[in-house]
Amino acid sequence: MTTRDSPARPTIYDVAQRAGVSKSLVSLVLRGAPHVSDARRDAVLMAIEELGYRPSRAASALASQQTRSVGVLIDDFRNPWFVELLAGLRSVLDPAGYTVSVADFQLEAASGRNPVDGFLAQHVDALVLAAEPDAALLKNVSVPVVVAGVRELGPATLPDADVVAGDDERGGELATRHLLGLGHRTIGHVSGRGGPAAHRRRGYERSMRQAGLEAIVAGTDRGTAEPDGYAAAVELFKEQPGLTAIVAANDVMAIGALAALDERRLAAPSGIAVVGYDNSPLAAYRHLALTSVDPHSREIGAEAARTLLARLADPDAPPRRALLEPTLVVRASTSPPRP
């Protein structure tokens, strides 16, 4: 089909003519501005639907100095925790007309790139940080920032940022108290670097201390991927051969710990009980049936998005700090210790 034969793309002027209103009123409706009568708003929306009009994002950005885009920085694409977080973000941002771009901090850093600078070069309206980049990478940030799920990036690094996270210390307590309630007394913890792991470790340690038991921790100098969970579990067994249960800092580390158990013919739960964290899609797989703490990542993402939209609407509001209560999802990977 030739260009001459192609139907012309409807313009904002076509919408205005069809609705019987001015171009400026169509613009107000597209921006979601208040003080437009219901009758006129309905007429514009009906004209948009009938004509199949799609506004030019580039033109809108030039007119409003906004791109209606949000940059999301995550730690590691290999961690399925981010799937639910992103779903929650998009459930709020998509209907509001925002696009979401995602960058992996570890991947970008390995390539020598600063993903924050990349987002700013795209003129995003705001950033969501679900990672812990060095403070130096954030020094030139000039757009609103919401920290999602990582409290270590709170007031000390970004004093003006809003923070929406799960209560990871409470989650560490839930995991540990579940095992204590089953009768376990020699409980190890596979941990790693970073804010979430540190908070979950504190919850574990506090619960063990309150029970009058020794905290047995490994992996604090490593990452939080599956190989790190495996190495930390191997270290735990060397330190404490009588271990009966493990709390992992996240689900992928728990899978690494399960691999270490398999090598020792100690499959969970008949050998060693294992609790993960994040309640990722992996945890629900029947082959794993992993007991896991659910931080409600989708809700964190949705609340972070709502907080971001509120910040864009009122840039001078005081920073918000919100912690969501985690819950424990019990599956087949935990049971009482063997007699």
Side-chain angles (χ1 to χ4, degrees), residues 21 74 81 99 110 112 115 120 125 146 154 168 249 251 291 304 326 330 338:
V21 300
I74 66 173
W81 171 75
T99 59
L120 296 179
D125 295 331
V146 175
D168 286 330
D251 287 347
T291 295
V330 179
R338 290 182 296 183

Side-chain angles (χ1 to χ4, degrees), residues 52-64:
Y53 172 71
R54 295 294 180 269
S56 166
R57 195 170 291 276
S60 300
L62 287 172
S64 66

